[in-house]
Amino acid sequence: MASDWLGSIVSINCGDSLGVYQGRVSAVDQVSQTISLTRPFHNGVKCLVPEVTFRAGDITELKILQIPGHGDNKQCGDLQQTDLGIPGVGCQVGPSQNGTGKLLKKPLLSSSAPQNIPRRTDMKNQDVAISPQQHQCSKSYMDRHMESLNQSKGFRRRHNSWSSSSRHPNQVTPKKSGLKNGQMKSKDDECFGDETEEIPDTDFDFEGNLALFDKAAVFEEIDTYERKSGTRSRGTPNERPARYRHDENILEPEPIVYRRIVVPHTTSKEFCTDSGLVVPSVSYELHKKLLSTAEKHGLTLERRLEMTGVCASQMALSLLGGPNRLNPKNVHQRPTVALLCGPNVKGAQGISCGRHLSNHDVHIILFLPNFVKMLESITNELNLFSKTPGQQVSSVKDLPDTPVDLVINCLDCHENAYLRDQPWYKAAVDWANQNRAPVLSIDPPMSEMEQGIDAKWSLALGLPLPLGESAGRVYLCDIGIPQKVFQEVGINYHSPFGCKFVIPLHST
C-alpha cells in the first residue's frame, strides 16, 4: 500500500520548468494523486519550506534512493504503481545497502544524477518563503489553499505574483510545519504570525496621522501637571541653558573693572577699547611731562622714535592690505606711500616709519623741506633712511600727480604753530587734499589747533590727547613707558593693550 513507502528517500524529476526535487516521503494521497516530501532539496539546494507536494501530472520521473528499515532490500518488482497511487509514472529503485535498483515501466527522461541526501540532523525550523524560480503555483490551487496560506505574510505578499507569473498548469504545494510538540517557535512566526483579515492597498498617511497630534496642547498639559504637583522634570519652554564659548570660564570670575587708568585731573574726553576698558585723554602738558620723565629714566628720544616708527609702520602695513597685498605674487602691485614730514620731532617719527615701510618693500616718497639747520634726531633718521630704496624730495612739485595708496602726515607740531604760515606747508597741505588718498596722522596735535589735512586715522602715543573730529578714527600705540613712570607723574595706570601694540579707541 501507499503507506508502506512513507519515510523513503526519493528523487522526483519534474522536467526543465520545475527541476529535480529530493526528500523523504511524508504523505501519499491516492485520491488526489499527490505525493509530499519533507525537508526537500531542489536541484541540490535545500528548500526554504519544510514540505512540498507534487501532482502526478508534474512528475516526469521518480527514483527511490533509500527504503526505510535496516537490511530490507525491496526490489522494484515488488513495487506496484498502484501502491504509490501514481499511475503512469516510471520508477527506478536507487542503490540500497544490499544492492542496486532496477528500472520500471517508464524510461528515464533526465540524465541528471541524483544528489546525495544528508542524514537527519538537528535543523531549525525555516521560514515559509518561496521564490517564483523554486515553485510556480496556479491560481486554482492558491484559491483552494488560501486559508492555509494566510497563516504567513510571506505567502500573502507573493500571492499575486505567483498567480500571474505561473506558466505551468500544475502546481507545487508548499506546506508549513513546525517542530514537534511546539518546542521552538519560529522567529518570523513571532513577528509575522498574527493573522490579519485583509491587507490595506494604500500607503500609510504619515502627514495626516501626525496632524492629529497637538504638540502644544500636550506640552501645556505637562506644564500644568508639573505646576500643580510642584515637580519640574525639565525647564520651561522659554528657558535656555547658558552656553559658553571655548574661551569662557564656567565659574563666575571676579567683577570686571573697566576703569583701570585714572588721571589726576578731570578729562574732557574719554575713549574705550574693544574689550570695554576706559582710556581717558590727558592734557598736552601732562603728556609732555610723562615723556620727559620716561626719558630721564632711560627711555631716550632715539628709543621712542624707533618704537613709534615700528608701531606706525605696522598700522600702515595693515591699512595697505596686509598679507593680501604684500606677498611675492603681487610684486607688480607695490603700494606707494607719501610721507609729509616737518622739521621737528614729529617729522623724525615719520622718517623712522618710512624706513621700516621701505624695508617691507613699500615704495616710499619722503617730503622734507630744506632747512639750514636740522635737529639731530632728524639728521640721524635721514642717514638711516638714505640706505633704503626710498625716495626723498624737498619740493611739492616732485610729489606724484596720481593718487597714492596712503599719505602719512607728520607736518603738524604741538608748539611751533608758525610753521603753518610757511609756503612749503601750505603747498604740502594743498597737495594732500587734492591727491584724494587716505591720510594717517602720527601724533596729531590737540583739537584746539586747526589742522589743514583731515585724517582718516590718527595714531596717539602712550595716552591719547583730546582729539577732535578731524583726527578721524583714533588708535593708540605702546611706546614702552613702564608702569611706575606713569605712577610717578600721578597716573594710576594698567596697560589696556593686552597682546597687541596698537589698539583702536572708540569715543564714549
Side-chain angles (χ1 to χ4, degrees), residues 448-466:
E448 287 82 2
M449 302 181 63
E450 182 181 357
Q451 299 184 24
I453 303 175
D454 291 337
K456 189 174 183 179
W457 307 281
S458 294
L459 182 63
L461 310 181
L463 285 176
L465 300 174

mmCIF file of all heavy atoms in Angstrom, residues 448-466:
data_model
loop_
_atom_site.group_PDB
_atom_site.id
_atom_site.type_symbol
_atom_site.label_atom_id
_atom_site.label_comp_id
_atom_site.label_asym_id
_atom_site.label_seq_id
_atom_site.Cartn_x
_atom_site.Cartn_y
_atom_site.Cartn_z
ATOM 1 N N GLU A 448 42.217 121.909 19.745
ATOM 2 C CA GLU A 448 42.141 123.356 19.664
ATOM 3 C C GLU A 448 42.909 123.894 18.452
ATOM 4 O O GLU A 448 42.597 124.964 17.925
ATOM 5 C CB GLU A 448 42.698 123.986 20.941
ATOM 6 C CG GLU A 448 41.795 123.834 22.158
ATOM 7 C CD GLU A 448 41.959 122.486 22.801
ATOM 8 O OE1 GLU A 448 42.801 121.691 22.310
ATOM 9 O OE2 GLU A 448 41.246 122.202 23.795
ATOM 10 N N MET A 449 43.921 123.183 18.035
ATOM 11 C CA MET A 449 44.732 123.610 16.913
ATOM 12 C C MET A 449 44.092 123.157 15.608
ATOM 13 O O MET A 449 43.718 121.997 15.453
ATOM 14 C CB MET A 449 46.155 123.053 17.027
ATOM 15 C CG MET A 449 46.877 123.455 18.302
ATOM 16 S SD MET A 449 48.542 122.814 18.378
ATOM 17 C CE MET A 449 49.278 123.630 16.980
ATOM 18 N N GLU A 450 43.941 124.077 14.702
ATOM 19 C CA GLU A 450 43.319 123.782 13.424
ATOM 20 C C GLU A 450 44.291 123.001 12.549
ATOM 21 O O GLU A 450 45.445 123.376 12.385
ATOM 22 C CB GLU A 450 42.918 125.085 12.731
ATOM 23 C CG GLU A 450 42.210 124.880 11.400
ATOM 24 C CD GLU A 450 41.853 126.200 10.750
ATOM 25 O OE1 GLU A 450 42.110 127.247 11.365
ATOM 26 O OE2 GLU A 450 41.335 126.166 9.627
ATOM 27 N N GLN A 451 43.808 121.894 11.976
ATOM 28 C CA GLN A 451 44.635 121.056 11.122
ATOM 29 C C GLN A 451 44.242 121.281 9.669
ATOM 30 O O GLN A 451 43.054 121.278 9.318
ATOM 31 C CB GLN A 451 44.469 119.574 11.485
ATOM 32 C CG GLN A 451 44.890 119.246 12.923
ATOM 33 C CD GLN A 451 44.799 117.768 13.204
ATOM 34 O OE1 GLN A 451 44.858 116.968 12.290
ATOM 35 N NE2 GLN A 451 44.662 117.430 14.478
ATOM 36 N N GLY A 452 45.249 121.452 8.843
ATOM 37 C CA GLY A 452 44.964 121.685 7.430
ATOM 38 C C GLY A 452 44.586 120.428 6.683
ATOM 39 O O GLY A 452 43.917 120.491 5.646
ATOM 40 N N ILE A 453 44.985 119.245 7.160
ATOM 41 C CA ILE A 453 44.705 117.969 6.482
ATOM 42 C C ILE A 453 43.802 117.147 7.383
ATOM 43 O O ILE A 453 44.148 116.863 8.534
ATOM 44 C CB ILE A 453 46.016 117.217 6.180
ATOM 45 C CG1 ILE A 453 46.952 118.079 5.326
ATOM 46 C CG2 ILE A 453 45.725 115.903 5.463
ATOM 47 C CD1 ILE A 453 48.306 117.450 5.082
ATOM 48 N N ASP A 454 42.666 116.799 6.867
ATOM 49 C CA ASP A 454 41.751 115.934 7.617
ATOM 50 C C ASP A 454 42.218 114.489 7.482
ATOM 51 O O ASP A 454 42.400 113.971 6.366
ATOM 52 C CB ASP A 454 40.325 116.079 7.095
ATOM 53 C CG ASP A 454 39.733 117.444 7.424
ATOM 54 O OD1 ASP A 454 40.229 118.060 8.387
ATOM 55 O OD2 ASP A 454 38.812 117.889 6.710
ATOM 56 N N ALA A 455 42.412 113.850 8.611
ATOM 57 C CA ALA A 455 42.934 112.476 8.621
ATOM 58 C C ALA A 455 41.787 111.476 8.722
ATOM 59 O O ALA A 455 40.736 111.754 9.316
ATOM 60 C CB ALA A 455 43.896 112.294 9.788
ATOM 61 N N LYS A 456 42.012 110.309 8.144
ATOM 62 C CA LYS A 456 41.069 109.200 8.294
ATOM 63 C C LYS A 456 41.397 108.376 9.521
ATOM 64 O O LYS A 456 40.514 107.803 10.153
ATOM 65 C CB LYS A 456 41.088 108.330 7.037
ATOM 66 C CG LYS A 456 40.001 107.277 6.998
ATOM 67 C CD LYS A 456 39.975 106.553 5.660
ATOM 68 C CE LYS A 456 38.829 105.544 5.620
ATOM 69 N NZ LYS A 456 38.770 104.845 4.312
ATOM 70 N N TRP A 457 42.691 108.319 9.846
ATOM 71 C CA TRP A 457 43.142 107.620 11.043
ATOM 72 C C TRP A 457 44.194 108.479 11.743
ATOM 73 O O TRP A 457 44.945 109.227 11.092
ATOM 74 C CB TRP A 457 43.780 106.264 10.702
ATOM 75 C CG TRP A 457 42.920 105.382 9.854
ATOM 76 C CD1 TRP A 457 41.865 104.623 10.243
ATOM 77 C CD2 TRP A 457 43.072 105.168 8.445
ATOM 78 N NE1 TRP A 457 41.335 103.936 9.179
ATOM 79 C CE2 TRP A 457 42.056 104.248 8.050
ATOM 80 C CE3 TRP A 457 43.943 105.652 7.465
ATOM 81 C CZ2 TRP A 457 41.909 103.825 6.740
ATOM 82 C CZ3 TRP A 457 43.800 105.224 6.153
ATOM 83 C CH2 TRP A 457 42.798 104.330 5.802
ATOM 84 N N SER A 458 44.244 108.345 13.048
ATOM 85 C CA SER A 458 45.248 109.052 13.841
ATOM 86 C C SER A 458 45.840 108.086 14.848
ATOM 87 O O SER A 458 45.120 107.265 15.438
ATOM 88 C CB SER A 458 44.642 110.255 14.577
ATOM 89 O OG SER A 458 44.223 111.239 13.643
ATOM 90 N N LEU A 459 47.171 108.211 15.050
ATOM 91 C CA LEU A 459 47.887 107.327 15.964
ATOM 92 C C LEU A 459 48.434 108.146 17.124
ATOM 93 O O LEU A 459 49.268 109.028 16.928
ATOM 94 C CB LEU A 459 49.026 106.608 15.228
ATOM 95 C CG LEU A 459 49.830 105.602 16.051
ATOM 96 C CD1 LEU A 459 48.946 104.451 16.520
ATOM 97 C CD2 LEU A 459 51.022 105.078 15.244
ATOM 98 N N ALA A 460 47.932 107.851 18.348
ATOM 99 C CA ALA A 460 48.387 108.538 19.557
ATOM 100 C C ALA A 460 49.450 107.696 20.252
ATOM 101 O O ALA A 460 49.482 106.462 20.104
ATOM 102 C CB ALA A 460 47.213 108.796 20.500
ATOM 103 N N LEU A 461 50.303 108.346 21.047
ATOM 104 C CA LEU A 461 51.429 107.680 21.698
ATOM 105 C C LEU A 461 51.201 107.600 23.201
ATOM 106 O O LEU A 461 50.996 108.625 23.858
ATOM 107 C CB LEU A 461 52.731 108.449 21.425
ATOM 108 C CG LEU A 461 53.031 108.808 19.963
ATOM 109 C CD1 LEU A 461 54.359 109.547 19.864
ATOM 110 C CD2 LEU A 461 53.040 107.579 19.093
ATOM 111 N N GLY A 462 51.228 106.376 23.767
ATOM 112 C CA GLY A 462 51.113 106.204 25.216
ATOM 113 C C GLY A 462 49.703 106.407 25.713
ATOM 114 O O GLY A 462 48.998 105.470 26.052
ATOM 115 N N LEU A 463 49.269 107.659 25.794
ATOM 116 C CA LEU A 463 47.911 108.036 26.158
ATOM 117 C C LEU A 463 47.418 109.081 25.163
ATOM 118 O O LEU A 463 48.188 109.922 24.702
ATOM 119 C CB LEU A 463 47.852 108.588 27.581
ATOM 120 C CG LEU A 463 47.959 107.557 28.722
ATOM 121 C CD1 LEU A 463 47.979 108.273 30.068
ATOM 122 C CD2 LEU A 463 46.820 106.547 28.674
ATOM 123 N N PRO A 464 46.125 109.071 24.801
ATOM 124 C CA PRO A 464 45.640 109.988 23.763
ATOM 125 C C PRO A 464 45.440 111.402 24.300
ATOM 126 O O PRO A 464 45.158 111.614 25.487
ATOM 127 C CB PRO A 464 44.317 109.353 23.327
ATOM 128 C CG PRO A 464 43.829 108.658 24.558
ATOM 129 C CD PRO A 464 45.059 108.147 25.260
ATOM 130 N N LEU A 465 45.582 112.338 23.401
ATOM 131 C CA LEU A 465 45.187 113.712 23.669
ATOM 132 C C LEU A 465 43.714 113.883 23.323
ATOM 133 O O LEU A 465 43.150 113.067 22.585
ATOM 134 C CB LEU A 465 46.054 114.669 22.849
ATOM 135 C CG LEU A 465 47.566 114.620 23.110
ATOM 136 C CD1 LEU A 465 48.298 115.522 22.125
ATOM 137 C CD2 LEU A 465 47.883 115.011 24.533
ATOM 138 N N PRO A 466 43.056 114.930 23.828
ATOM 139 C CA PRO A 466 41.635 115.159 23.465
ATOM 140 C C PRO A 466 41.523 115.615 22.002
ATOM 141 O O PRO A 466 41.447 116.812 21.710
ATOM 142 C CB PRO A 466 41.193 116.233 24.462
ATOM 143 C CG PRO A 466 42.437 116.922 24.886
ATOM 144 C CD PRO A 466 43.528 115.905 24.845
#
